[in-house]
Amino acid sequence: MPVRMPEGFDSKITSVSAGLLHTTFLTEDGDVLSGNRGDDIVSGAGGDDRLKGGTCNDTLLGRDGDDRFNGGWANDKLDVDTSDDRLSGGRGHDDLDGGDGDDRLNGGWGADNFVFNGGRDAIRNFDPGCDWWFWSHPGDQITIDIEGFDNFDDVIANASQEGQNTVIEFNEDDSLTL
C-alpha cells in the first residue's frame, strides 16, 4: 500500500513490530529516532540524525548529514551514505557499513562485520577473536571494497603501525585505522 507523504516531509520510517506496520515521517532537520521490540527498519532523512535500534534485529539507514547510530541489543545492520558518521553496533553480531565518509565505527560485543568502501574510517575495539586450547570465540571481520585491493597480501602491503594503531592506506583519500 503506497503511503502519501504530507507536505514538508521527504521520507519515512517504517518498522515492523509484532505484526504491526508503523510509519513515522521525518523532516530535513536532525531527528532522534528509536526502534521498538521487534525487527525494526529505522531510516533517517537529511540532517544530523540520531538513530537507535531496539531489542531485536534492526536495520538503521542513514542519508545526508553526520548521523549517530546505536544498534541496540541484537544482530543489527547499520548502513549510511557519504557523510561523516558514528556507528556503534551494541550487543550482537552486527554489520556496520560507514559508506564513503570519514566514519568512526565501534562494533561492541559480538562478532561484527565492518564494511570499508572509502573515506578515512576508524574502527574501535576490533577483536580478531581467539582460539585457545579448549576455548575459542569468533572474531570481527572487515570487508574491504576498494578497487585494486583484491586479496589479503594487497592489504598487508599497505599497512603500517602508528603508535598502538594499525593504519591501512589505500590511496591518498582512503584509509582505515584499527
Side-chain angles (χ1 to χ4, degrees):
M1 170 172 70
V3 176
R4 187 170 163 211
M5 304 301 289
E7 191 170 323
F9 292 86
D10 71 336
S11 65
K12 61 183 171 68
I13 298 174
T14 304
S15 64
V16 179
S17 176
L20 301 174
L21 178 66
H22 303 279
T23 302
T24 303
F25 297 98
L26 302 176
T27 66
E28 281 292 323
D29 298 330
D31 296 293
V32 178
L33 307 162
S34 295
N36 270 326
R37 295 183 306 265
D39 297 342
D40 301 311
I41 299 173
V42 181
S43 178
D48 300 338
D49 300 316
R50 297 181 77 166
L51 307 179
K52 182 177 181 190
T55 57
C56 291
N57 302 325
D58 301 312
T59 300
L60 308 179
L61 304 171
R63 294 197 181 137
D64 295 334
D66 298 335
D67 302 318
R68 295 175 116 186
F69 289 14
N70 187 338
W73 287 87
N75 303 329
D76 304 305
K77 179 178 172 74
L78 289 69
D79 192 357
V80 298
D81 251 345
T82 59
S83 301
D84 301 337
D85 304 296
R86 295 170 69 180
L87 286 71
S88 179
R91 297 177 186 255
H93 307 300
D94 304 306
D95 290 318
L96 294 91
D97 184 346
D100 292 335
D102 299 340
D103 307 301
R104 287 194 291 175
L105 302 104
N106 183 349
W109 291 11
D112 302 305
N113 181 48
F114 299 94
V115 178
F116 177 76
N117 46 27
R120 295 200 166 281
D121 291 356
I123 296 176
R124 300 180 188 258
N125 83 326
F126 181 80
D127 180 2
C130 73
D131 191 9
W132 184 74
W133 206 21
F134 292 108
W135 183 79
S136 68
H137 74 64
D140 296 334
Q141 297 180 4
I142 301 173
T143 302
I144 296 175
D145 186 15
I146 296 289
E147 189 173 323
F149 287 80
D150 301 320
N151 57 50
F152 189 67
D153 290 336
D154 293 339
V155 173
I156 293 300
N158 289 281
S160 64
Q161 190 75 31
E162 293 184 15
Q164 295 181 344
N165 298 320
T166 300
V167 178
I168 306 164
E169 290 283 342
F170 297 96
N171 56 49
E172 62 186 42
D173 297 323
D174 302 315
S175 68
L176 180 60
T177 302
L178 305 175

